C-alpha cells in the first residue's frame, strides 16, 4: 500500500533497485494513473524502474520522475506495429 516506505525498507535490506509496478488488473481500475507510481519512485529517492502504463505519451513524465528503467510492455506488444512502437519510444528518450 505504501510504496515509498516499502521502497526505502527494501533498499535498507540491500536491494539495489526497486520496481514501481502496476499490473494490467490494477491499470484497468477506474482512476489508475501512472503518475502515482512515478511520485512514489521520486519521493522514495531510490534507484527505481516503473512498469504499468509506460507509453509514448508518458515517457517524458517517466524521465522527469527520475526512473532508471521504463518497462513499456503493452505499448509495444499491443501496438499495430510493435517494431515501430519500440523505435518511437526509444527515440523519445532523451
Amino acid at each position: 500500500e505504501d510504496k515509498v516506505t516499502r521502497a526505502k525498507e527494501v533498499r535498507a535490506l540491500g536491494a539495489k533497485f526497486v520496481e514501481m509496478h502496476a499490473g494490467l488488473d490494477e491499470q484497468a481500475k477506474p482512476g489508475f494513473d501512472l503518475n502515482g507510481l512515478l511520485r512514489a519512485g521520486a519521493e522514495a529517492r531510490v534507484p527505481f524502474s516503473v512498469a504499468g502504463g509506460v507509453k509514448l505519451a508518458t515517457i517524458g513524465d517517466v524521465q522527469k520522475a527520475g526512473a532508471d528503467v521504463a518497462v513499456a510492455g503493452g505499448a509495444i506488444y499491443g501496438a499495430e506495429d510493435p517494431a515501430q512502437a519500440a523505435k518511437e519510444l526509444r527515440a523519445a528518450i532523451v
Side-chain angles (χ1 to χ4, degrees):
E1 189 68 29
D2 183 349
K3 291 178 179 10
V4 174
T5 298
R6 189 65 178 145
K8 291 177 181 180
E9 289 172 352
V10 298
R11 279 289 288 174
L13 291 170
K16 302 293 182 205
F17 204 79
V18 177
E19 170 82 10
M20 298 295 175
H21 179 265
L24 292 174
D25 57 334
E26 186 176 347
Q27 292 176 53
K29 291 180 182 176
F32 171 77
D33 184 1
L34 172 66
N35 288 315
L37 295 176
L38 298 177
R39 278 191 301 275
E43 187 179 330
R45 299 178 192 259
V46 300
F48 76 99
S49 63
V50 65
V54 176
K55 55 190 170 195
L56 190 58
T58 62
I59 197 68
D61 293 333
V62 169
Q63 292 177 89
K64 287 177 194 168
D68 297 285
V69 174
V71 179
I76 295 172
Y77 70 72
E80 186 173 312
D81 183 344
Q84 183 61 35
K87 287 178 188 175
E88 289 172 1
L89 273 163
R90 179 64 183 108
I93 298 170
V94 290

Coordinates of all heavy atoms in Angstrom, one line a residue:
E1 N 0.8 -1.2 0.0 CA 0.0 0.0 0.0 C 0.9 1.3 0.0 O 0.6 2.2 -0.8 CB -0.9 0.0 1.2 CG -2.0 1.0 1.2 CD -3.0 0.9 0.2 OE1 -3.3 -0.3 -0.2 OE2 -3.6 1.9 -0.3
D2 N 1.9 1.3 0.9 CA 2.7 2.5 1.0 C 4.0 2.2 0.2 O 5.0 1.7 0.8 CB 3.0 2.8 2.4 CG 3.8 4.1 2.6 OD1 4.4 4.6 1.7 OD2 4.0 4.5 3.8
K3 N 4.0 2.5 -1.1 CA 5.2 2.2 -1.9 C 6.4 2.9 -1.5 O 7.5 2.4 -1.6 CB 4.8 2.5 -3.4 CG 3.8 1.5 -3.9 CD 3.5 1.9 -5.4 CE 2.5 1.0 -6.1 NZ 1.7 0.0 -5.4
V4 N 6.3 4.1 -1.0 CA 7.5 4.9 -0.7 C 8.2 4.2 0.5 O 9.4 4.0 0.5 CB 7.1 6.4 -0.3 CG1 8.3 7.1 0.2 CG2 6.6 7.0 -1.6
T5 N 7.5 3.9 1.6 CA 8.1 3.3 2.8 C 8.6 2.0 2.4 O 9.8 1.6 2.8 CB 7.0 3.2 3.9 OG1 6.6 4.5 4.2 CG2 7.6 2.5 5.1
R6 N 7.9 1.2 1.6 CA 8.4 -0.2 1.3 C 9.7 -0.1 0.4 O 10.6 -0.9 0.6 CB 7.3 -0.9 0.5 CG 7.7 -2.4 0.3 CD 7.8 -3.1 1.7 NE 8.1 -4.5 1.5 CZ 8.8 -5.2 2.3 NH1 9.3 -4.7 3.4 NH2 9.0 -6.4 2.0
A7 N 9.7 0.9 -0.5 CA 10.9 1.0 -1.3 C 12.1 1.3 -0.4 O 13.2 0.8 -0.6 CB 10.7 2.1 -2.3
K8 N 12.0 2.2 0.6 CA 13.1 2.5 1.5 C 13.5 1.3 2.3 O 14.6 1.1 2.6 CB 12.7 3.7 2.4 CG 12.6 5.0 1.6 CD 12.1 6.1 2.5 CE 11.9 7.4 1.8 NZ 11.5 8.5 2.7
E9 N 12.5 0.5 2.7 CA 12.7 -0.7 3.5 C 13.6 -1.7 2.7 O 14.5 -2.2 3.3 CB 11.4 -1.3 4.0 CG 10.7 -0.6 5.0 CD 9.3 -1.1 5.3 OE1 8.8 -2.0 4.5 OE2 8.6 -0.7 6.2
V10 N 13.2 -1.9 1.5 CA 13.9 -3.0 0.7 C 15.3 -2.5 0.4 O 16.3 -3.3 0.3 CB 13.2 -3.5 -0.5 CG1 11.9 -4.1 -0.1 CG2 12.9 -2.4 -1.5
R11 N 15.5 -1.2 0.2 CA 16.9 -0.6 0.0 C 17.7 -0.9 1.2 O 18.9 -1.2 1.1 CB 16.8 0.8 -0.4 CG 16.5 1.1 -1.8 CD 17.6 0.8 -2.7 NE 18.7 1.8 -2.6 CZ 19.8 1.7 -3.2 NH1 20.1 0.7 -3.9 NH2 20.7 2.6 -2.9
A12 N 17.1 -0.6 2.4 CA 17.8 -0.8 3.6 C 18.2 -2.3 3.8 O 19.2 -2.6 4.5 CB 17.0 -0.3 4.8
L13 N 17.4 -3.2 3.3 CA 17.7 -4.6 3.4 C 18.8 -5.0 2.3 O 19.2 -6.2 2.3 CB 16.4 -5.4 3.2 CG 15.4 -5.3 4.3 CD1 14.1 -5.9 3.9 CD2 15.9 -5.9 5.6
G14 N 19.2 -4.1 1.5 CA 20.2 -4.5 0.5 C 19.8 -4.5 -1.0 O 20.7 -4.7 -1.8
A15 N 18.5 -4.3 -1.3 CA 18.1 -4.3 -2.7 C 18.8 -3.1 -3.4 O 18.9 -2.0 -2.8 CB 16.6 -4.1 -2.8
K16 N 19.3 -3.3 -4.6 CA 20.0 -2.3 -5.3 C 19.0 -1.4 -6.2 O 19.3 -0.3 -6.6 CB 21.0 -2.9 -6.3 CG 22.1 -3.7 -5.6 CD 22.9 -2.9 -4.7 CE 24.0 -3.7 -4.0 NZ 24.5 -3.2 -2.8
F17 N 17.8 -2.0 -6.4 CA 16.9 -1.4 -7.3 C 15.5 -1.7 -6.9 O 15.3 -2.8 -6.4 CB 17.2 -2.0 -8.7 CG 16.8 -1.2 -9.9 CD1 17.6 -0.2 -10.3 CD2 15.7 -1.5 -10.6 CE1 17.2 0.6 -11.4 CE2 15.3 -0.8 -11.7 CZ 16.1 0.2 -12.1
V18 N 14.5 -0.8 -7.1 CA 13.1 -1.1 -6.7 C 12.2 -0.9 -8.0 O 12.4 0.0 -8.7 CB 12.7 -0.1 -5.6 CG1 11.2 -0.3 -5.3 CG2 13.6 -0.2 -4.4
E19 N 11.3 -1.8 -8.1 CA 10.3 -1.7 -9.2 C 9.0 -1.1 -8.7 O 8.4 -1.7 -7.8 CB 10.1 -3.1 -9.8 CG 8.9 -3.2 -10.8 CD 9.3 -2.8 -12.2 OE1 10.5 -2.6 -12.5 OE2 8.4 -2.7 -13.0
M20 N 8.6 -0.1 -9.4 CA 7.3 0.5 -9.1 C 6.4 -0.1 -10.2 O 6.6 0.3 -11.4 CB 7.3 2.0 -9.2 CG 8.2 2.7 -8.1 SD 7.6 2.4 -6.5 CE 8.9 3.1 -5.5
H21 N 5.5 -1.0 -9.9 CA 4.8 -1.7 -10.9 C 3.3 -1.7 -10.6 O 2.8 -1.8 -9.5 CB 5.3 -3.2 -10.8 CG 4.6 -4.1 -11.8 ND1 3.5 -4.9 -11.4 CD2 4.8 -4.3 -13.1 CE1 3.1 -5.5 -12.5 NE2 3.9 -5.2 -13.5
A22 N 2.5 -1.6 -11.7 CA 1.1 -1.8 -11.7 C 0.8 -2.8 -12.8 O 1.1 -2.6 -14.0 CB 0.4 -0.5 -12.0
G23 N 0.2 -3.9 -12.4 CA -0.2 -5.0 -13.3 C -1.4 -4.5 -14.2 O -2.0 -3.5 -13.9
L24 N -1.7 -5.3 -15.2 CA -2.8 -5.0 -16.1 C -4.1 -4.8 -15.3 O -5.0 -4.0 -15.6 CB -2.9 -6.0 -17.2 CG -1.8 -6.0 -18.2 CD1 -2.0 -7.2 -19.1 CD2 -1.7 -4.7 -18.9
D25 N -4.3 -5.7 -14.2 CA -5.5 -5.6 -13.5 C -5.6 -4.3 -12.7 O -6.7 -3.6 -12.7 CB -5.7 -6.8 -12.5 CG -4.5 -6.9 -11.5 OD1 -3.4 -6.4 -11.9 OD2 -4.6 -7.4 -10.4
E26 N -4.5 -3.8 -12.2 CA -4.5 -2.5 -11.5 C -4.7 -1.4 -12.5 O -5.4 -0.4 -12.2 CB -3.2 -2.3 -10.7 CG -3.2 -1.1 -9.9 CD -1.9 -1.0 -9.0 OE1 -1.1 -1.9 -8.9 OE2 -1.7 0.1 -8.5
Q27 N -4.1 -1.5 -13.6 CA -4.2 -0.4 -14.7 C -5.6 -0.3 -15.2 O -6.0 0.8 -15.6 CB -3.3 -0.7 -15.8 CG -1.8 -0.6 -15.5 CD -1.0 -1.0 -16.7 OE1 -1.1 -0.5 -17.8 NE2 -0.1 -2.0 -16.5
A28 N -6.4 -1.4 -15.1 CA -7.8 -1.4 -15.6 C -8.7 -0.8 -14.7 O -9.9 -0.5 -15.0 CB -8.2 -2.8 -16.0
K29 N -8.3 -0.6 -13.4 CA -9.2 0.0 -12.4 C -9.5 1.5 -12.7 O -8.6 2.2 -13.1 CB -8.6 -0.1 -11.0 CG -8.6 -1.5 -10.5 CD -8.0 -1.6 -9.1 CE -7.9 -3.0 -8.6 NZ -7.3 -3.1 -7.3
P30 N -10.7 1.9 -12.5 CA -11.0 3.4 -12.7 C -10.1 4.2 -11.8 O -9.8 3.9 -10.7 CB -12.5 3.5 -12.2 CG -13.0 2.1 -12.3 CD -11.9 1.2 -12.0
G31 N -9.6 5.3 -12.4 CA -8.7 6.2 -11.7 C -7.3 5.9 -11.7 O -6.5 6.7 -11.1
F32 N -6.9 4.7 -12.3 CA -5.4 4.4 -12.3 C -4.7 5.6 -13.0 O -5.1 6.0 -14.1 CB -5.1 3.1 -13.0 CG -3.6 2.9 -13.2 CD1 -2.8 2.5 -12.1 CD2 -3.1 3.1 -14.4 CE1 -1.5 2.4 -12.3 CE2 -1.7 3.0 -14.6 CZ -0.9 2.6 -13.5
D33 N -3.6 5.9 -12.5 CA -2.7 7.0 -13.1 C -1.3 6.6 -12.9 O -0.8 6.4 -11.7 CB -3.1 8.3 -12.4 CG -2.3 9.5 -13.0 OD1 -1.6 9.3 -14.0 OD2 -2.5 10.6 -12.5
L34 N -0.5 6.5 -13.9 CA 0.9 6.2 -13.8 C 1.6 7.2 -12.9 O 2.6 6.8 -12.3 CB 1.5 6.2 -15.2 CG 3.0 6.1 -15.3 CD1 3.5 4.7 -14.8 CD2 3.5 6.3 -16.7
N35 N 1.2 8.4 -12.8 CA 1.8 9.4 -12.0 C 1.9 9.0 -10.6 O 2.9 9.4 -9.9 CB 1.2 10.8 -12.2 CG 1.5 11.4 -13.6 OD1 2.6 11.3 -14.0 ND2 0.5 11.9 -14.2
G36 N 1.0 8.2 -10.1 CA 1.1 7.7 -8.7 C 2.4 6.9 -8.5 O 3.1 7.0 -7.5
L37 N 2.7 6.0 -9.4 CA 3.9 5.2 -9.4 C 5.1 6.1 -9.5 O 6.1 5.9 -8.8 CB 3.9 4.2 -10.5 CG 2.9 3.1 -10.5 CD1 3.0 2.2 -11.7 CD2 3.0 2.2 -9.2
L38 N 5.1 7.1 -10.4 CA 6.2 8.0 -10.6 C 6.5 8.8 -9.3 O 7.6 9.0 -9.0 CB 6.0 8.9 -11.8 CG 5.9 8.1 -13.1 CD1 5.6 9.1 -14.3 CD2 7.1 7.3 -13.4
R39 N 5.4 9.3 -8.7 CA 5.6 10.1 -7.5 C 6.2 9.3 -6.4 O 7.1 9.7 -5.7 CB 4.2 10.7 -7.0 CG 3.8 11.9 -7.7 CD 2.6 12.6 -7.1 NE 1.4 11.7 -7.0 CZ 0.5 11.6 -8.0 NH1 0.7 12.2 -9.1 NH2 -0.5 10.8 -7.8
A40 N 5.8 8.0 -6.3 CA 6.3 7.1 -5.2 C 7.8 6.9 -5.5 O 8.6 7.0 -4.5 CB 5.6 5.8 -5.2
G41 N 8.2 6.7 -6.7 CA 9.6 6.4 -7.0 C 10.4 7.7 -6.8 O 11.5 7.6 -6.1
A42 N 9.9 8.8 -7.2 CA 10.7 10.1 -6.9 C 10.8 10.4 -5.5 O 11.8 10.8 -5.0 CB 10.0 11.2 -7.7
E43 N 9.7 10.2 -4.7 CA 9.7 10.5 -3.3 C 10.6 9.6 -2.5 O 11.2 10.0 -1.5 CB 8.2 10.5 -2.8 CG 8.1 10.9 -1.3 CD 6.7 10.9 -0.8 OE1 5.7 11.1 -1.6 OE2 6.5 10.7 0.4
A44 N 10.6 8.3 -2.9 CA 11.4 7.3 -2.2 C 12.9 7.6 -2.3 O 13.7 7.2 -1.4 CB 11.1 5.9 -2.7
R45 N 13.3 8.3 -3.4 CA 14.7 8.7 -3.6 C 15.6 7.4 -3.6 O 16.7 7.4 -3.0 CB 15.2 9.7 -2.6 CG 14.4 11.0 -2.7 CD 14.9 12.0 -1.7 NE 14.0 13.1 -1.5 CZ 14.2 14.3 -2.1 NH1 15.3 14.5 -2.8 NH2 13.4 15.2 -1.9
V46 N 15.2 6.4 -4.3 CA 15.9 5.2 -4.5 C 16.0 4.9 -6.0 O 15.2 5.4 -6.8 CB 15.3 4.0 -3.8 CG1 15.2 4.2 -2.3 CG2 14.0 3.6 -4.4
P47 N 17.0 4.2 -6.5 CA 17.0 3.8 -7.9 C 15.8 2.9 -8.2 O 15.5 2.0 -7.4 CB 18.3 2.9 -8.0 CG 19.1 3.3 -6.8 CD 18.2 3.7 -5.7
F48 N 15.0 3.3 -9.2 CA 13.8 2.6 -9.4 C 13.5 2.5 -10.9 O 13.9 3.2 -11.8 CB 12.6 3.2 -8.7 CG 12.1 4.5 -9.3 CD1 10.9 4.5 -10.1 CD2 12.7 5.7 -9.1 CE1 10.4 5.7 -10.7 CE2 12.2 6.9 -9.6 CZ 11.1 6.9 -10.4
S49 N 12.7 1.4 -11.2 CA 12.1 1.3 -12.5 C 10.6 1.4 -12.4 O 10.1 1.3 -11.3 CB 12.5 -0.1 -13.1 OG 11.9 -1.2 -12.3
V50 N 9.9 1.6 -13.5 CA 8.5 1.7 -13.5 C 7.9 0.9 -14.6 O 8.4 0.8 -15.7 CB 8.0 3.2 -13.6 CG1 8.4 3.8 -14.9 CG2 6.6 3.4 -13.4
A51 N 6.8 0.2 -14.3 CA 6.1 -0.6 -15.3 C 4.6 -0.5 -15.0 O 4.2 -0.6 -13.8 CB 6.6 -2.1 -15.2
G52 N 3.9 -0.3 -16.0 CA 2.4 -0.2 -15.9 C 1.9 1.1 -16.4 O 1.8 2.1 -15.6
G53 N 1.7 1.2 -17.7 CA 1.2 2.5 -18.2 C 2.3 3.3 -18.9 O 2.0 4.4 -19.3
V54 N 3.5 2.7 -19.1 CA 4.5 3.4 -19.8 C 4.2 3.3 -21.3 O 4.1 2.2 -21.8 CB 5.9 2.8 -19.5 CG1 7.0 3.5 -20.3 CG2 6.2 3.0 -18.0
K55 N 4.2 4.5 -21.9 CA 3.9 4.5 -23.4 C 4.5 5.8 -23.9 O 5.0 6.6 -23.2 CB 2.4 4.4 -23.7 CG 1.6 5.4 -23.0 CD 0.1 5.1 -23.1 CE -0.7 6.0 -22.2 NZ -2.1 5.5 -22.0
L56 N 4.4 6.1 -25.2 CA 4.9 7.2 -25.8 C 4.5 8.5 -25.2 O 5.2 9.4 -24.9 CB 4.6 7.2 -27.3 CG 5.4 8.3 -28.2 CD1 6.9 8.1 -28.1 CD2 4.9 8.1 -29.6
A57 N 3.2 8.6 -24.8 CA 2.6 9.8 -24.2 C 3.1 10.0 -22.8 O 3.0 11.1 -22.3 CB 1.1 9.7 -24.2
T58 N 3.7 9.0 -22.1 CA 4.1 9.2 -20.7 C 5.6 9.1 -20.5 O 6.0 9.3 -19.4 CB 3.4 8.1 -19.8 OG1 3.8 6.8 -20.3 CG2 1.9 8.2 -19.9
I59 N 6.3 8.7 -21.6 CA 7.8 8.5 -21.4 C 8.5 9.8 -20.9 O 9.4 9.7 -20.1 CB 8.4 7.9 -22.7 CG1 9.8 7.3 -22.3 CG2 8.5 9.0 -23.8 CD1 9.8 6.1 -21.5
G60 N 8.0 10.9 -21.2 CA 8.6 12.2 -20.7 C 8.4 12.3 -19.2 O 9.3 12.7 -18.5
D61 N 7.2 12.0 -18.7 CA 7.0 12.0 -17.3 C 7.8 11.0 -16.5 O 8.3 11.3 -15.4 CB 5.5 11.7 -17.0 CG 4.6 12.8 -17.5 OD1 5.0 14.0 -17.6 OD2 3.4 12.5 -17.8
V62 N 8.0 9.8 -17.2 CA 8.9 8.8 -16.6 C 10.3 9.3 -16.4 O 10.9 9.2 -15.3 CB 8.9 7.5 -17.4 CG1 9.9 6.5 -17.0 CG2 7.5 6.9 -17.4
Q63 N 10.8 10.0 -17.4 CA 12.1 10.6 -17.3 C 12.2 11.7 -16.3 O 13.2 11.7 -15.5 CB 12.6 11.1 -18.7 CG 12.8 10.0 -19.7 CD 13.1 10.5 -21.0 OE1 14.3 10.7 -21.3 NE2 12.1 10.8 -21.9
K64 N 11.2 12.5 -16.3 CA 11.2 13.6 -15.3 C 11.2 13.1 -13.8 O 11.8 13.8 -13.0 CB 10.0 14.6 -15.5 CG 10.2 15.4 -16.8 CD 8.9 16.2 -17.0 CE 8.9 16.8 -18.4 NZ 7.6 17.4 -18.7
A65 N 10.5 12.0 -13.6 CA 10.5 11.5 -12.3 C 11.8 10.8 -11.8 O 12.0 10.6 -10.6 CB 9.3 10.4 -12.2
G66 N 12.7 10.6 -12.8 CA 14.0 10.0 -12.4 C 14.1 8.5 -12.5 O 15.0 7.9 -11.9
A67 N 13.1 7.9 -13.1 CA 13.2 6.4 -13.2 C 14.4 6.0 -14.0 O 14.7 6.6 -15.0 CB 11.9 5.9 -13.9
D68 N 15.1 5.0 -13.5 CA 16.3 4.5 -14.2 C 15.9 3.6 -15.4 O 16.7 3.4 -16.3 CB 17.2 3.8 -13.2 CG 17.7 4.7 -12.1 OD1 18.6 5.5 -12.4 OD2 17.1 4.6 -11.0
V69 N 14.8 2.9 -15.3 CA 14.3 2.0 -16.3 C 12.8 2.2 -16.5 O 12.1 2.4 -15.5 CB 14.6 0.5 -15.8 CG1 14.0 -0.5 -16.8 CG2 16.1 0.2 -15.7
A70 N 12.4 2.1 -17.7 CA 11.0 2.1 -18.0 C 10.6 0.9 -18.8 O 11.2 0.5 -19.8 CB 10.6 3.4 -18.9
V71 N 9.6 0.2 -18.3 CA 9.1 -1.1 -19.0 C 7.9 -0.7 -19.7 O 6.9 -0.4 -19.1 CB 8.9 -2.2 -17.9 CG1 8.4 -3.5 -18.6 CG2 10.1 -2.5 -17.1
A72 N 7.9 -0.8 -21.0 CA 6.8 -0.5 -21.9 C 6.3 -1.7 -22.6 O 6.4 -1.9 -23.8 CB 7.2 0.6 -22.9
G73 N 5.7 -2.6 -21.8 CA 5.2 -3.9 -22.4 C 4.0 -3.7 -23.3 O 4.2 -3.9 -24.5
G74 N 2.9 -3.3 -22.8 CA 1.7 -3.2 -23.6 C 1.8 -2.2 -24.7 O 1.1 -2.3 -25.7
A75 N 2.5 -1.1 -24.5 CA 2.7 -0.1 -25.5 C 3.4 -0.7 -26.7 O 3.2 -0.2 -27.8 CB 3.5 1.1 -25.0
I76 N 4.2 -1.7 -26.6 CA 4.8 -2.4 -27.7 C 4.1 -3.6 -28.2 O 3.7 -3.6 -29.3 CB 6.3 -2.7 -27.3 CG1 7.1 -1.5 -27.0 CG2 6.9 -3.6 -28.4 CD1 8.5 -1.7 -26.5
Y77 N 3.8 -4.5 -27.3 CA 3.1 -5.8 -27.8 C 1.7 -5.5 -28.2 O 1.1 -6.3 -29.0 CB 3.3 -6.9 -26.8 CG 2.5 -6.9 -25.5 CD1 1.2 -7.0 -25.5 CD2 3.2 -6.7 -24.3 CE1 0.5 -7.0 -24.3 CE2 2.5 -6.6 -23.1 CZ 1.2 -6.8 -23.1 OH 0.5 -6.7 -21.9
G78 N 1.1 -4.5 -27.7 CA -0.3 -4.2 -28.1 C -0.4 -3.3 -29.3 O -1.5 -3.0 -29.8
A79 N 0.7 -2.8 -29.8 CA 0.7 -1.9 -31.0 C 0.4 -2.6 -32.3 O 0.8 -3.8 -32.4 CB 2.0 -1.1 -31.0
E80 N -0.1 -1.9 -33.2 CA -0.3 -2.5 -34.6 C 1.0 -2.9 -35.2 O 1.1 -3.9 -35.8 CB -1.1 -1.4 -35.4 CG -1.4 -2.0 -36.8 CD -2.3 -1.0 -37.6 OE1 -3.3 -0.5 -37.0 OE2 -2.0 -0.8 -38.7
D81 N 2.0 -2.0 -35.0 CA 3.4 -2.3 -35.5 C 4.3 -2.2 -34.3 O 4.9 -1.2 -34.0 CB 3.8 -1.3 -36.6 CG 5.1 -1.6 -37.2 OD1 5.9 -2.3 -36.6 OD2 5.4 -1.0 -38.2
P82 N 4.6 -3.4 -33.6 CA 5.4 -3.4 -32.4 C 6.8 -2.8 -32.6 O 7.3 -2.1 -31.8 CB 5.4 -4.8 -32.0 CG 4.2 -5.4 -32.5 CD 4.0 -4.7 -33.8
A83 N 7.4 -3.1 -33.8 CA 8.8 -2.7 -34.0 C 8.8 -1.1 -34.1 O 9.7 -0.5 -33.6 CB 9.3 -3.3 -35.3
Q84 N 7.8 -0.6 -34.8 CA 7.7 0.9 -34.9 C 7.4 1.5 -33.6 O 8.0 2.6 -33.2 CB 6.6 1.3 -35.9 CG 6.5 2.8 -36.2 CD 7.8 3.4 -36.7 OE1 8.5 2.7 -37.5 NE2 8.1 4.6 -36.4
A85 N 6.6 0.9 -32.8 CA 6.3 1.5 -31.5 C 7.5 1.5 -30.6 O 7.8 2.5 -29.9 CB 5.2 0.6 -30.8
A86 N 8.3 0.4 -30.6 CA 9.6 0.4 -29.9 C 10.5 1.5 -30.4 O 11.2 2.1 -29.5 CB 10.2 -1.0 -30.0
K87 N 10.6 1.6 -31.7 CA 11.5 2.7 -32.2 C 11.1 4.1 -31.8 O 11.9 4.9 -31.4 CB 11.6 2.6 -33.7 CG 12.3 1.4 -34.3 CD 12.3 1.4 -35.8 CE 12.9 0.1 -36.3 NZ 12.7 -0.1 -37.7
E88 N 9.8 4.3 -31.8 CA 9.3 5.6 -31.4 C 9.6 5.9 -29.9 O 9.9 7.0 -29.5 CB 7.8 5.8 -31.7 CG 7.5 5.8 -33.2 CD 6.1 5.8 -33.5 OE1 5.2 5.7 -32.6 OE2 5.7 5.8 -34.7
L89 N 9.3 4.9 -29.1 CA 9.6 5.0 -27.6 C 11.1 5.3 -27.4 O 11.5 6.2 -26.7 CB 9.2 3.8 -26.9 CG 7.8 3.7 -26.4 CD1 7.4 2.3 -26.0 CD2 7.6 4.7 -25.2
R90 N 12.0 4.6 -28.1 CA 13.4 4.7 -27.9 C 13.8 6.1 -28.4 O 14.6 6.8 -27.7 CB 14.2 3.7 -28.7 CG 15.7 3.8 -28.7 CD 16.1 3.5 -27.2 NE 17.5 3.7 -27.1 CZ 18.1 4.8 -26.5 NH1 17.4 5.7 -26.0 NH2 19.4 4.8 -26.4
A91 N 13.3 6.6 -29.5 CA 13.6 7.9 -30.0 C 13.1 9.1 -29.0 O 13.7 10.1 -29.0 CB 13.0 8.1 -31.4
A92 N 12.1 8.8 -28.2 CA 11.6 9.8 -27.3 C 12.4 9.9 -26.0 O 12.2 10.9 -25.3 CB 10.1 9.5 -27.0
I93 N 13.3 9.0 -25.8 CA 14.1 9.0 -24.6 C 15.3 9.9 -24.8 O 16.0 9.8 -25.8 CB 14.6 7.6 -24.2 CG1 13.4 6.7 -23.9 CG2 15.5 7.7 -23.0 CD1 13.7 5.3 -23.7
V94 N 15.4 10.9 -23.9 CA 16.5 11.9 -24.1 C 17.5 11.7 -23.0 O 17.3 11.1 -22.0 CB 16.0 13.4 -24.0 CG1 15.2 13.6 -25.3 CG2 15.1 13.6 -22.8

